[in-house]
Amino acid sequence: MTDEIKPRLVKCFAAVFPGLPETAIPAAAQDTVKEWDSVAAITLVTVIQEEFAMEIDLDELETMTSFARIHEYLHRRLSAT
Amino acid sequence: MKLLEALAIANKTSTNQADSRTFFLACGFTPLHLLTFLKAHLQLQFPDLKIEIATGVYGDLPGNLQRIPQAAAGAAVVIEWPDLDSRLGIRQLGGWSPKVLPDILDSAASMLTRLEIAIAQISCPVALSLPSLPLPPLAFTAGWQAGGFELQLRERLARFAASIGAHPRVRLLNAQRLDRISAPVGRFDAKSELLTGFPFRQEHADMLAELLAALLRNPLPKKGLITDLDDTLWKGILGEVGVEGVSWDLEQHSQVHGLYQQFLGALADSGVLVGVASKNDPALVAQAFERADLLIPRDRLFPLEVHWSQKSQSVARILKTWHIAADSVIFVDDSPMELAEVQAAHPAIDCRLFPKTDPMAVFALLEDLRDQFGKPALSEEDQIRRDSLRSATVIEQASAADSNTLDDFLRQADALVTLDFRKNSGDTRAFELVNKTNQFNLNGRRYAESEWDCYLRREDTFIATVSYRDKFGPLGKIAVLLGRRPSAQPFLAIDAWVMSCRAFSRRIEHQCLRRLFEEFQAEELVFDFVGTPRNGPLVEFFAAFAPPGPQFRLTKAVFDKACPALSHSVKEIR
């Protein structure tokens, strides 16, 4: 499951942060990516919803602050289904 | 389009394209995904450019309109109800009591006046969208009743739209088209509006952006339509049922053909060239066109290619008569085989099947044709194009005979060439001519409206808009020259020069250059010439003086020596 999620999540990050090298994406976090503002955060959640065909409550935005945390969130959601 | 796809389009092209254009998205809400979709759709509309989008600040639509820079390539202005009065939204709690409704109406009317003034002052093209989201349930009537408050509000909005829509730079988004591609019930996202200030569902933002981008692109319309006759312009095979047997009415269950005739008549009267390619008996067709109940008069159709040869040959002759390329033309026929034959010979032509047995499909065809031929406004030239092509045919025949015949012909033509040197940036015809002319075109360069305005604002530039009339009638504005007079230099630099093909063989191009030499006391003209696949007529003209090449130079001495006799009267307007 993890292997399937990661490349798709990388694709989402690459779309929202086109200036971020692909190798740097797994380590990306709100604190370290200056383009990661509130608009980018909403855009990121929206493309993740599209890519993984799932609804994400915008209230979850507060916790989705890094690639790793989002990856973990997706793993949890997709494992539960 | 999905958001991921929109981001991919925007990101991919933004790193490849060198020439950039910045558009402005003016709205009172958070632009969020609308910005992304607009950027993607504009990128698709302008694939050779790098598109950038600038925006304003949240909650200040009037201020954002004033923030639109003069150099913007265009502005997408999106009005929603809360922009007229924040009580018409759900993020502000100003009260919905029946007592405040008159005040909301007044404040909305004031805001509309303010917006109209601000939009009219924008110097770039404006694509304007009126409120597309539902009004909140603030009035006291049930939802199924259109109450006085809502009717009055919409009436004020409609008056605003009619007024601002008449402004030459403003193009209003058609609500009927938006309704078709974005169901009203699926547009509003209350949760997103409350959490982020972005009120649209993604699908609606995508559709809205697509139409706004199309308005800003303002694509050039097709120029001509070639139609079949039997089972297309009318129901029935003329050779089988005779002149009285063909029909286009309700009684004969052939109303769709009447609608098509009516539509073609409207196209012809708005400047579209309409020709006929039919395998038929010419004498019978001539009789059919005598019928008084035809909805498109015979004189609206030019030329008529009626014989038994291949339709591709008819199409080739019509294109030659019209002086336009196949990609500017739509061919309509009820026979898939004929369509295929024409398509094979003219790959660039747009072939459409006339779906004679399916009224809904005919209606859809007419809507599609309207899109292909649609233009923001009609010009004087639209009214005279067909007649001037007819007279051009006569003149070209004289031209083909010998130069003495042409000299005599032109001498007796009572021709008047008018050169208008006024920099009237509101003259859309000059702009349109430069951007759509292919054959007599110095370099094929197209101008964005903002570029055009910037060019004309420069002090060292000039424009000559050329009109022509003779005893055969007016041709209207048929040529444009754009140029510069570098300071303290004896030459004129010509950056753009186009002339409509309807004006060929009248030596108008020679007269234009003669007037430029004289008007500016120039010793030499330096043309920014670039050969294109289509500008053969311009190359041929230059070749009479010297072999053309980049920065083609023409001295007055060389011009005077090779210039043929010019017998026009000339009028200049400054």
Side-chain angles (χ1 to χ4, degrees):
Chain A
M1 180 66 78
T2 306
D3 288 341
E4 286 175 21
I5 293 172
K6 189 174 177 183
R8 292 167 69 190
L9 187 56
V10 166
K11 185 171 88 173
C12 295
F13 268 74
V16 179
F17 305 112
L20 202 57
E22 198 167 316
T23 51
I25 287 175
Q30 203 161 20
D31 297 341
T32 57
V33 179
K34 68 177 179 359
E35 293 84 4
W36 196 330
D37 57 14
S38 58
V39 171
I42 295 166
T43 307
L44 182 60
V45 167
T46 309
V47 297
I48 290 170
Q49 290 183 115
E50 276 181 6
E51 175 62 25
F52 292 92
M54 64 165 61
E55 287 280 326
I56 299 175
D57 197 319
L58 287 178
D59 294 336
E60 300 274 2
L61 270 176
E62 286 177 14
T63 62
M64 302 176 95
T65 54
S66 69
F67 181 93
R69 295 191 72 164
I70 297 171
H71 184 271
E72 186 188 328
Y73 170 84
L74 289 172
H75 184 66
R76 199 170 57 244
R77 282 280 306 266
L78 294 171
S79 299
T81 56
Chain B
M1 184 188 293
K2 295 286 186 189
L3 187 61
L4 201 53
E5 190 185 347
L7 285 164
I9 291 169
N11 295 339
K12 185 181 174 187
T13 45
S14 67
T15 54
N16 293 341
Q17 313 303 323
D19 198 3
S20 70
R21 293 280 186 285
T22 300
F23 291 83
F24 198 96
L25 171 58
C27 57
F29 51 85
T30 308
L32 204 62
H33 305 321
L34 181 62
L35 185 151
T36 307
F37 283 120
L38 182 62
K39 187 174 181 183
H41 283 291
L42 282 169
Q43 195 65 72
L44 293 174
Q45 294 278 356
F46 298 95
D48 299 329
L49 301 173
K50 174 186 172 187
I51 300 298
E52 300 293 349
I53 309 277
T55 59
V57 299
Y58 178 82
D60 183 19
L61 179 58
N64 291 339
L65 295 175
Q66 291 172 339
R67 291 182 184 97
I68 298 171
Q70 208 171 45
V77 177
V78 182
I79 302 174
E80 282 303 335
W81 294 116
D83 296 317
L84 306 186
D85 185 304
S86 60
R87 291 168 288 187
L88 294 171
I90 63 170
R91 285 175 68 90
Q92 301 276 323
L93 302 174
W96 286 349
S97 162
K99 292 177 190 166
V100 303
L101 297 184
D103 186 59
I104 292 176
L105 277 178
D106 287 346
S107 97
S110 299
M111 180 55 82
L112 285 168
T113 303
R114 202 174 152 198
L115 293 177
E116 183 173 350
I117 292 167
I119 292 170
Q121 289 172 345
I122 298 172
S123 58
C124 62
V126 175
L128 174 62
S129 165
L130 300 178
S132 62
L133 294 176
L135 277 165
L138 76 167
F140 49 83
T141 45
W144 52 82
Q145 180 182 350
F149 168 76
E150 182 177 341
L151 291 170
Q152 288 180 66
L153 185 62
R154 290 190 186 280
E155 188 239 351
R156 283 161 174 72
L157 187 69
R159 266 195 270 157
F160 159 81
S163 177
I164 197 66
H167 194 279
R169 288 189 195 283
V170 178
R171 297 163 204 145
L172 270 169
L173 189 145
N174 188 324
Q176 180 172 308
R177 177 58 58 88
L178 185 61
D179 289 348
R180 186 196 298 174
I181 61 176
S182 175
V185 73
R187 295 176 179 177
F188 186 44
D189 187 334
K191 186 169 187 180
S192 173
E193 166 75 332
L194 293 175
L195 280 173
T196 70
F198 180 66
F200 298 148
R201 287 194 186 165
Q202 269 189 76
E203 296 78 6
H204 181 55
D206 178 26
M207 294 294 106
L208 187 58
E210 182 180 341
L211 295 188
L212 288 168
L215 282 171
L216 288 170
R217 173 75 177 88
N218 193 22
L220 288 172
K222 297 274 188 188
K223 297 174 181 173
L225 184 147
I226 301 172
T227 184
D228 175 37
L229 295 178
D230 290 346
D231 280 337
T232 302
L233 194 72
W234 50 59
K235 181 184 178 183
I237 308 294
L238 189 59
E240 294 175 3
V241 300
V243 171
E244 295 306 320
V246 293
S247 65
W248 46 85
D249 54 32
L250 284 171
E251 290 75 16
Q252 307 292 320
H253 303 294
S254 54
Q255 180 83 351
V256 291
H257 300 275
L259 278 174
Y260 180 60
Q261 285 184 21
Q262 180 172 273
F263 184 81
L264 292 193
L267 282 186
D269 285 345
S270 56
V272 175
L273 301 167
V274 182
V276 169
S278 171
K279 286 181 178 172
N280 235 316
D281 179 343
L284 266 183
V285 168
Q287 285 177 46
F289 276 112
E290 295 293 318
R291 275 182 57 166
D293 55 342
L294 265 172
L295 290 148
I296 177 166
R298 162 71 185 82
D299 69 350
R300 301 293 195 281
L301 303 167
F302 176 77
L304 266 69
E305 285 285 338
V306 180
H307 42 66
W308 301 102
S309 302
Q310 286 180 313
K311 289 204 176 173
S312 59
Q313 294 174 6
S314 297
V315 168
R317 277 191 287 271
I318 293 170
L319 294 178
K320 192 175 175 202
T321 302
W322 285 348
H323 290 291
I324 59 179
D327 63 2
S328 296
V329 172
I330 293 180
F331 174 59
V332 182
D333 200 301
D334 68 301
S335 162
M337 195 179 74
E338 298 289 11
L339 290 170
E341 194 265 327
V342 168
Q343 189 79 81
H346 305 277
I349 206 165
D350 188 345
C351 292
R352 304 296 175 98
L353 181 74
F354 188 84
K356 56 190 175 187
T357 58
D358 183 349
M360 202 60 228
V362 171
F363 191 79
L365 172 68
L366 299 187
E367 285 188 314
D368 189 33
L369 291 176
R370 179 57 76 196
D371 284 355
Q372 300 300 321
F373 290 104
K375 52 187 89 172
L378 297 183
S379 65
E380 183 192 347
E381 285 70 25
D382 287 324
Q383 311 301 320
I384 59 181
R385 184 168 294 117
R386 183 182 53 249
D387 291 338
S388 63
L389 273 171
R390 279 201 175 96
S391 61
T393 307
V394 176
I395 290 169
E396 277 164 21
Q397 284 164 358
S399 172
D402 60 58
S403 61
N404 287 336
T405 307
L406 184 60
D407 282 345
D408 292 343
F409 188 88
L410 293 177
R411 204 174 298 118
Q412 294 162 19
D414 299 329
L416 171 66
V417 176
T418 302
L419 289 93
D420 186 344
F421 289 99
R422 292 174 299 179
K423 286 183 172 179
N424 176 11
S425 62
D427 181 358
T428 55
R429 171 63 180 166
F431 173 75
E432 182 187 291
L433 256 183
V434 168
N435 274 334
K436 76 175 189 181
T437 305
N438 292 310
Q439 298 184 69
F440 197 98
N441 188 325
L442 183 62
N443 45 35
R445 185 176 303 139
R446 306 305 194 201
Y447 289 75
E449 283 164 284
S450 54
E451 278 180 296
W452 180 262
D453 289 340
C454 283
Y455 188 92
L456 292 183
R457 273 198 295 269
R458 286 170 51 181
E459 281 190 8
D460 62 336
T461 62
F462 71 87
I463 180 171
T465 308
V466 185
S467 307
Y468 176 90
R469 68 174 306 129
D470 58 25
K471 68 180 183 182
F472 299 102
L475 296 189
K477 293 171 186 164
I478 38 76
V480 178
L481 286 126
L482 288 181
R484 289 169 287 119
R485 179 70 189 257
S487 59
Q489 297 293 331
F491 67 86
L492 277 185
I494 309 298
D495 293 320
W497 186 18
V498 300
M499 186 172 76
S500 166
C501 51
R502 293 182 292 121
F504 286 179
S505 304
R506 292 171 170 89
R507 297 178 181 165
I508 300 169
E509 58 274 39
H510 299 83
Q511 190 64 264
C512 288
L513 297 194
R514 172 170 285 177
R515 300 315 302 172
L516 284 191
F517 277 121
E518 292 178 3
E519 166 74 17
F520 292 94
Q521 297 288 300
E523 292 171 18
E524 190 176 33
L525 302 179
V526 180
F527 296 88
D528 184 16
F529 168 76
V530 177
T532 73
R534 293 194 189 174
N535 67 355
L538 189 282
V539 172
E540 197 177 309
F541 170 75
F542 276 167
F545 301 97
Q551 297 301 302
F552 177 72
R553 306 180 84 93
L554 180 61
T555 63
K556 186 167 187 307
V558 170
F559 174 76
D560 286 342
K561 190 175 176 187
C563 182
L566 303 181
S567 47
H568 324 98
S569 300
V570 179
K571 179 181 169 188
E572 293 182 1
I573 303 172
R574 292 182 189 82

